[in-house]
Amino acid sequence: MDGPEREGRKLHRSFGGLALLGILLVVAGLVGLVYTGVATLTSMILFGWLLLVGGLVGLVHAVQSRGTNYFWLGVVVAALNIAAGVVVIRHPHGTAEALTMFAALLFLTGGVFRLVGSVVVRGPQFGWTLLQGAFGLLLGLLVLFDWPHSSLYVLGCFFSLALLFDGLGLIAVGIGGRRIVSMVSEQLTPGGDNEEGTDPHTQDSRKRSEN
């Protein structure tokens, strides 16, 4: 019984760690929603470092695979990632402005396509698709009309919301996992339903053997 109990305690601690990580992400998301400018700058720096590290790792893999047909393609992709990472790290504000403009254009085009598609097709989800298209179009126009000032808060708001929802998901998984582990552990502990002392079939067999 020591083995299952030990594994149960490990799982209990692991799910507790997930819940704690979720709480930290929720707190970070809430702080980012309050200080959207800092969140935008932080997300850009993280994005730049991810590109830089990914480019270096890709370059190492390309060097290890030299002599293959994909060697030069890997080198070019890695070099582009490294260059983009350096540019983003050195110019986070300009990168935020460019990405905000790109996001606004995506919202506009997506909203227009959804609006036109919902009107032309008129499927069973007509109202919902029409609402999504109108919301995307309105959001794109709001971001575009306030550009470049909108670059100070749009990306930071998205980044903070992503942290917030990811944290809530981890909290739900951690709490649910701890409850499941606790229920299973209670069934395996002495005096549980699966023990021989309370199993009616086991008690009957013991009585027959004693008689």
Side-chain angles (χ1 to χ4, degrees):
M1 191 63 64
D2 294 338
E5 289 182 357
R6 190 181 300 109
E7 293 298 326
R9 287 194 294 268
K10 288 182 180 179
L11 287 175
H12 205 269
R13 288 193 297 268
S14 298
F15 283 115
L18 283 179
L20 179 60
L21 179 59
I23 293 173
L24 293 177
L25 290 180
V26 168
V27 172
L30 293 176
V31 172
L33 288 176
V34 176
Y35 302 99
T36 53
V38 178
T40 298
L41 185 62
T42 303
S43 63
M44 288 297 96
I45 294 176
L46 288 176
F47 179 59
W49 278 107
L50 285 176
L51 287 175
L52 184 60
V53 173
L56 292 175
V57 173
L59 184 61
V60 171
H61 287 170
V63 171
Q64 291 177 350
S65 63
R66 59 183 179 274
T68 62
N69 296 328
Y70 304 100
F71 169 71
W72 288 110
L73 178 61
V75 171
V76 171
V77 173
L80 290 177
N81 285 333
I82 293 173
V86 171
V87 171
V88 172
I89 293 173
R90 296 190 62 180
H91 305 284
H93 295 288
T95 305
E97 292 179 0
L99 290 179
T100 302
M101 173 65 75
F102 181 69
L105 294 177
L106 281 180
F107 288 138
L108 284 174
T109 54
V112 170
F113 276 112
R114 283 192 176 92
L115 284 174
V116 174
S118 62
V119 172
V120 172
V121 177
R122 291 184 176 273
Q125 302 293 330
F126 168 73
W128 178 248
T129 307
L130 188 67
L131 181 62
Q132 283 183 321
F135 179 76
L137 182 62
L138 178 61
L139 184 60
L141 289 175
L142 290 176
V143 174
L144 190 61
F145 288 158
D146 198 31
W147 189 86
H149 182 263
S150 59
S151 62
L152 298 177
Y153 58 86
V154 170
L155 297 179
C157 184
F158 291 161
F159 180 67
S160 301
L161 287 175
L163 290 178
L164 180 62
F165 287 114
D166 287 344
L168 291 175
L170 287 178
I171 292 175
V173 171
I175 294 177
R178 285 169 67 93
R179 288 179 179 176
I180 294 174
V181 171
S182 299
M183 293 172 59
V184 174
S185 299
E186 290 176 359
Q187 295 295 325
L188 295 177
T189 53
D193 295 338
N194 292 337
E195 291 296 317
E196 293 182 358
T198 58
D199 191 351
H201 298 288
T202 305
Q203 292 179 353
D204 293 340
S205 61
R206 284 184 175 181
K207 292 180 180 178
R208 287 195 298 267
S209 62
E210 291 175 355
N211 294 331

